[in-house]
Amino acid sequence: MASEEYTDRELMVSAAAAEIDNGDTAFVGMRLPLIAFQVAVSTHAPDSMAVYESGVVRDAPADGFIHTMCDLPNLNRAVSTTGMIDIMSRLQRGDVDVGFLGGAEVDRYGNLNTTRVRAGDREVRLPGSGGACDIACMADRTVLLMPHEPRRFVEEVNYVTSPGHASDGSGRENHPAPGGGPSALVTSKATFGFHDGELYLRSTHPGVDADDVLADFPWDVNTASDVGEGTVTTTSKPTGEELELIRTFDPDGFWT
Amino acid sequence: MAANSLPTLEEAVSEIESGSSVAAGLALEHAIPFAVGHELLRQGTDDLTMIGPISDLLFDQLIGGGAVSGIRAAWVGNVSAGTGYRFREAVENDRIRVENHSNFSIALALKAGAMGVPYLPTRSLLGSDIFEESDLFARAEDPFTGDEVVQVPAVNPDWTVVHAQRASPEGDVHMWGNTGITDPAVGAAENVLVTTEEVVDSETIKSDPSRTAITREQVTAVVECPFGAHPSPLTGHYNRDNEYYLDYHSQTDTQEAFDEWADEWVYGVENRDEYMELVDADLSITEPTVAAEVQYGQ
C-alpha cells in the first residue's frame, strides 16, 4: 500500500514504534507512546509486551481509544492489572528493554527536563517526573519524543528530571544511573541517535533539510557521518498499514 | 455494623482535620477519590499536605480551592491536557511547598512506611535533580556489594483515601483493575477512608478473598458513594469523562475562572447525587468482560 498524507505526529508514532523490537518489554507512559506500542505489537513486534506504571501489563492493542494508560479499554483484557512496585521492580532489576520519555527540554547528552523551565525572567512550573526519572535511570534504553521546537534544545537543561548520559563521552559507564540511557530522540522533523553518549543526527523526515534541523540547536550537532554511523538518511514514512492502525487506535486524532 | 449506620460522606470527611497529610489518587488515573476531594473543599479543610504519585486533576482542584499547603508527589497536572494551572500558579508564587518525587520514590517511601522500616534503597534517582536538589534522600553505599544506592525515607500519611468497587460495612474491600500505589499507601497510613460504589455483605467479600485489597483493621471509615471517582474511570463501572478534563483545563487558567468552575461543580452541589446531575456524558461500560468463574473450596 502506498503511503498517503500523514501528520507529523503520525510519523513520530511510526518512528517510535520502530524503536520497539520484537520480544521487547516496553515501558509505556503518556501520550504518543500509548499509540506507538499498539502499532508495534500489531506489526513487526507481535511478541512484545507493554508495562505501565499504573500496574497494567498488556500483550495486545486496546479495543478502543485510550486517553491514558488507565482508560478502561487499556485495563480490559490486559494480561495483568497489578501495582506500581511490581512494575517498577521489574524496571529496577533490568527487565525492561525500552522506555519512552517526553520532555520540555533536552541537552546533547539526553538529559530531560519536565519540571521547570525559564521563560524570560520567570520560571514556569511543569507537572514533573511521574515515572520518567525511574525509566530514564533504569531502562536498558530509552527513546525520547518531543515536538521539534528550537527552544527545547538547550546547552544545559534547567533541571535534570530524567538523567541522560555522562558528559565525559562514556555514555552510562561513568554515570551513577544503572540503565543504558537514551538511544534515540524522535522529533517532528528528524530522528537522532546517541554516540558515546552524545546526540547525533540520524535521519530527517521526508521533505526536511538536514541543515535546517542542525540550525535549530545551540551547539554543533554531530551527524551520522561525523561519528561513523553511516550517513544521514531519510526517515521512513509511515506505511499504509501503520496509518490505518494509528487511525484505528486514535480515530479522532486526539494524540496524533 | 449495619450498612444504614455507615457514616455519610460529610461525616466521614469531617474527621480529616486541617493540617493533615492525605494520600490520594494512588491508582494513578484510575479510581481517583474526587468525591472526597470536593467534600474537603466544601468543608473548608485546609493546610493539607497531599501525597501521591501522579495527580490527574485532584490536587490541582484542591490547590485551587485553597486547601493545600504542601505537595509530596511525582507529577501534578491534567493527563488529557498537560498543565494544571492552579498547581503551576501556586508553585510559581511560592504559595505551596513542593517535594519533588519520581513515581518510584514516592511508592518506596510509602512502602517503607507500610513495612515499618525507616527507609528503602533504590537504584533510581541517581544523576537526577530530584535527588541532587533535595535534602530528603540520602546517598549510601550498599554494605554488601559497595554499589551506590539512594535511601528513600518512609512516609506515613495521616490519611489515605481510596475509592473501591465494593466494601463490607466491617471495612473489608474488594478492588480490581490496576491499583498503582494503593497497597503501600493503605499500609503506611494512620487512617484509611474508603469510598465505595457498593456496600456488600461480608459473605460476598469472603467468597473471593484473592480480590480483597484492604482489610477492616486498616480502615477508619467506609462510605457508600456511587460515582465517587468521576471523572476518573473505575473498572467495571464507568469510563473516563475526558471532556470534563478538557473543559476543566480551558476553564481554570485564572483563579477567578477556577472559582467560577468550583461554584458550579463543588460548592454549587450539596452531595454526590446532585453532582452527578451535572454530568451528561454517557460513561457506561459498553462491552462488559465477565471474568471466568473462580472456585475456592475445601
Side-chain angles (χ1 to χ4, degrees):
Chain A
M1 204 184 301
S3 279
E4 42 189 306
E5 292 298 307
Y6 52 86
T7 68
D8 287 347
R9 288 188 290 185
E10 285 174 333
L11 178 62
M12 289 173 74
V13 167
S14 161
E19 298 291 333
I20 299 174
D21 295 335
N22 195 25
D24 274 355
T25 296
F27 202 116
V28 181
M30 297 175 179
R31 297 174 174 258
L32 296 184
L34 292 172
I35 311 298
F37 166 73
Q38 301 188 81
V39 171
V41 77
S42 303
T43 54
H44 65 277
D47 298 325
S48 58
M49 298 279 280
V51 294
Y52 306 76
E53 61 226 82
S54 55
V56 175
V57 180
R58 285 198 75 85
D59 69 346
D63 184 15
F65 174 63
I66 51 173
H67 305 92
T68 83
M69 65 178 91
C70 290
D71 281 25
L72 298 194
N74 206 46
L75 276 58
N76 192 27
R77 303 216 167 260
V79 175
S80 172
T81 53
T82 170
M84 185 191 292
I85 288 180
D86 180 352
I87 301 298
M88 288 290 185
S89 298
R90 302 178 198 203
L91 176 68
Q92 186 162 254
R93 272 201 58 187
D95 291 343
V96 168
D97 299 295
V98 59
F100 291 93
L101 302 168
E105 290 182 335
V106 63
D107 68 18
R108 71 174 78 192
Y109 307 112
N111 293 298
L112 287 171
N113 175 15
T114 53
T115 301
R116 53 171 196 253
V117 294
R118 284 188 204 287
D121 56 0
R122 69 184 267 263
E123 259 195 351
V124 176
R125 172 68 206 208
L126 305 174
S129 164
C133 176
D134 307 309
I135 298 167
C137 286
M138 303 188 292
D140 283 359
R141 65 182 193 279
T142 56
V143 176
L144 323 181
L145 295 172
M146 61 176 65
H148 195 98
E149 296 166 356
R151 67 190 166 98
R152 294 175 182 270
F153 310 129
V154 294
E155 282 282 5
E156 192 176 350
V157 294
N158 195 40
Y159 184 100
V160 181
T161 312
S162 303
H165 292 285
S167 57
D168 63 0
S170 70
R172 274 288 172 94
E173 251 175 63
N174 298 330
H175 192 285
S183 66
L185 165 67
V186 176
T187 76
S188 44
K189 288 188 177 174
T191 78
F192 303 80
F194 287 84
H195 181 86
D196 292 339
E198 186 173 337
L199 196 74
Y200 72 89
L201 179 62
R202 201 171 65 177
S203 71
T204 58
H205 299 343
V208 176
D209 188 82
D211 290 336
D212 291 343
V213 168
L214 297 173
D216 288 332
F217 288 77
W219 70 91
D220 289 333
V221 176
N222 288 322
T223 65
S225 49
D226 295 332
V227 297
E229 300 273 1
T231 57
V232 176
T233 58
T234 302
T235 315
S236 300
K237 293 179 185 177
T239 66
E241 182 191 11
E242 285 173 332
L243 287 173
E244 200 172 301
L245 288 165
I246 291 167
R247 291 164 193 176
T248 302
F249 302 140
D250 186 11
D252 298 327
F254 185 81
W255 293 126
T256 56
Chain B
M1 187 162 42
N4 59 14
S5 68
L6 291 177
T8 63
L9 181 65
E10 197 178 342
E11 289 164 350
V13 170
S14 72
E15 297 295 315
I16 302 176
E17 293 174 0
S18 290
S20 299
S21 57
V22 181
L26 303 158
L28 283 77
E29 298 99 332
H30 182 224
I32 302 170
F34 277 98
V36 171
H38 291 186
E39 185 57 30
L40 283 166
L41 289 177
R42 278 193 291 272
Q43 294 191 13
T45 315
D46 63 7
D47 192 26
L48 298 174
T49 297
M50 299 305 300
I51 300 168
I54 69 156
S55 179
D56 193 10
L57 279 202
L58 178 62
F59 291 4
D60 196 72
Q61 294 181 352
L62 289 166
I63 292 166
V68 178
S69 61
I71 294 282
R72 311 179 78 177
W75 193 97
V76 178
N78 177 333
V79 176
S80 293
T83 297
Y85 291 112
R86 297 304 91 222
F87 168 68
R88 170 185 281 190
E89 196 174 284
V91 177
E92 290 174 8
N93 292 292
D94 273 333
R95 288 203 304 268
I96 56 172
R97 301 180 312 277
V98 179
E99 183 178 281
N100 287 313
H101 277 269
S102 73
N103 274 343
F104 198 29
S105 73
I106 196 69
L108 290 171
L110 291 164
K111 183 69 179 174
M115 294 173 72
V117 296
Y119 63 87
L120 283 171
T122 180
R123 299 183 191 280
S124 190
L125 303 189
L126 289 163
S128 76
D129 282 340
I130 296 174
F131 177 77
E132 296 295 338
E133 284 201 357
S134 172
D135 53 14
L136 178 70
F137 310 104
R139 198 186 305 268
E141 187 179 290
D142 170 13
F144 303 101
T145 64
D147 284 358
E148 187 178 23
V149 294
V150 172
Q151 292 168 328
V152 180
V155 168
N156 291 98
D158 296 323
W159 285 87
T160 283
V161 181
V162 303
H163 186 72
Q165 285 94 341
R166 60 193 184 208
S168 70
E170 291 83 358
D172 303 320
V173 181
H174 272 184
M175 298 178 72
W176 57 100
N178 71 277
T179 55
I181 62 171
T182 303
D183 177 61
V186 165
E190 292 298 320
N191 294 281
V192 174
L193 170 57
V194 177
T195 58
T196 182
E197 292 292 315
E198 188 186 6
V199 175
V200 298
D201 61 26
S202 190
E203 286 309 306
T204 303
I205 299 292
K206 291 180 186 173
S207 76
D208 194 3
S210 288
R211 206 171 306 284
T212 306
I214 306 171
T215 54
R216 65 190 77 176
E217 80 288 354
Q218 300 173 293
V219 174
T220 307
V222 172
V223 175
E224 190 170 36
C225 185
F227 293 104
H230 176 272
S232 67
L234 184 69
T235 302
H237 286 267
Y238 39 89
N239 279 287
R240 179 182 181 85
D241 188 351
N242 201 58
E243 287 301 317
Y244 174 108
Y245 286 81
L246 300 178
D247 290 346
Y248 178 86
H249 184 71
S250 66
Q251 292 169 9
T252 57
D253 60 335
T254 65
Q255 186 63 41
E256 294 69 30
F258 172 86
D259 291 343
E260 206 171 300
W261 175 89
D263 279 342
E264 180 182 4
W265 286 92
V266 179
Y267 305 112
V269 296
E270 285 207 12
N271 54 44
R272 205 60 179 171
D273 289 341
E274 284 186 25
Y275 169 93
M276 283 310 294
E277 285 174 19
L278 298 176
V279 177
D280 55 12
D282 179 6
L283 306 171
S284 54
I285 304 294
T286 52
E287 292 176 27
T289 297
V290 178
E293 188 176 302
V294 174
Q295 186 173 312
Y296 296 84
Q298 61 180 12

